[in-house]
Amino acid sequence: MPEEGRPYPWIRWSGTAFQRLLPWLLVLFIIAICCWFHCGGHLSKQQQRLLEPQMHLAELQLNITDPRKDPTLRWGAGPALGRSFTHGPELEKGHLRIHQDGIYRLHIQVTLANCSSSGSTLQHTATLAVGICFPTAHSICLLRRRFGQDCTVALQRLTPLAHGDVLCTNLTLPLLPSRNADETFFGVQWVYP
């Protein structure tokens, strides 16, 4: 018959049994700690990457410091240029380099400086283009449009971009884009892996 007050009489611990199990318990505890630090840290980084919202985006303003000698438009970001920033992509010599594979929404608006609504023959043939200019193996035009009789061209599209792609924008010479940040801007936003 079991004694009163002992719900499980068949379990009896003696001091020697506990002393024999103590080293094994310590070894298991140390292994568990090592696994937690080794595997747990790695998993938490992966989980963190999956759970964090991907904020790869850039909103750029025109950065003209000297007269245009080639059709390439140079962009900049930072407080000196107003409401512009980069988070993820980075600027290299006025071009935007992508650091995350995925599908991006590209948008650009360029307004011509000193433009009249009647338009000139030069304005009719003026073209705005956005493309991947590096690496040259992936060089392709992503957006292109003529101004026609308009003073402003605004374009957008979803497109897959890869890590290392550099985006360039071109405007037909000798036309000058407006420096007004509300009239001329360029940006990308990562929307899907």
Side-chain angles (χ1 to χ4, degrees):
M1 290 223 59
E3 295 178 22
E4 291 211 20
R6 288 189 168 205
Y8 304 105
W10 59 88
I11 299 177
R12 293 194 180 153
W13 287 95
S14 66
T16 58
F18 183 72
Q19 288 175 351
R20 280 185 269 163
L21 283 178
L22 185 60
W24 293 108
L25 290 174
L26 287 174
V27 167
L28 285 174
F29 181 72
I30 291 170
I31 290 172
I33 295 287
C34 290
C35 286
W36 183 75
F37 277 113
H38 179 70
C39 299
H42 179 67
L43 289 176
S44 67
K45 287 178 187 173
Q46 287 178 344
Q47 289 170 347
Q48 190 177 29
R49 229 180 282 137
L50 292 173
L51 295 177
E52 281 182 357
Q54 299 291 330
M55 297 297 293
H56 291 271
L57 53 101
E59 190 66 34
L60 309 173
Q61 302 298 323
L62 200 57
N63 189 13
I64 298 178
T65 53
D66 10 309
R68 293 183 67 218
K69 296 177 183 166
D70 65 39
T72 304
L73 296 177
R74 308 285 181 195
W75 302 95
L81 293 172
R83 299 167 298 190
S84 59
F85 58 88
T86 60
H87 186 77
E90 77 178 299
L91 282 167
E92 288 183 2
K93 298 179 183 175
H95 304 302
L96 194 63
R97 179 179 291 276
I98 302 299
H99 288 293
Q100 172 79 28
D101 291 355
I103 296 175
Y104 285 79
R105 183 179 70 84
L106 278 66
H107 64 274
I108 187 167
Q109 177 177 305
V110 173
T111 300
L112 298 175
N114 303 322
C115 179
S116 67
S117 57
S118 62
S120 67
T121 56
L122 184 59
Q123 186 179 328
H124 291 288
T125 61
T127 302
L128 174 67
V130 178
I132 299 172
C133 56
F134 184 84
T136 51
H138 295 124
S139 181
I140 187 171
C141 183
L142 301 170
L143 298 165
R144 179 186 298 264
R145 184 161 171 209
R146 286 204 165 142
F147 280 83
Q149 295 192 14
D150 297 326
C151 294
T152 300
V153 166
L155 304 166
Q156 68 174 342
R157 92 176 258 185
L158 290 173
T159 189
L161 296 173
H163 174 77
D165 284 350
V166 176
L167 300 176
C168 300
T169 57
N170 293 324
L171 174 64
T172 305
L173 286 173
L175 295 172
L176 293 173
S178 169
R179 293 181 186 212
N180 184 329
D182 293 328
E183 296 179 334
T184 301
F185 51 86
F186 174 50
V188 298
Q189 178 182 5
W190 183 90
V191 294
Y192 194 75

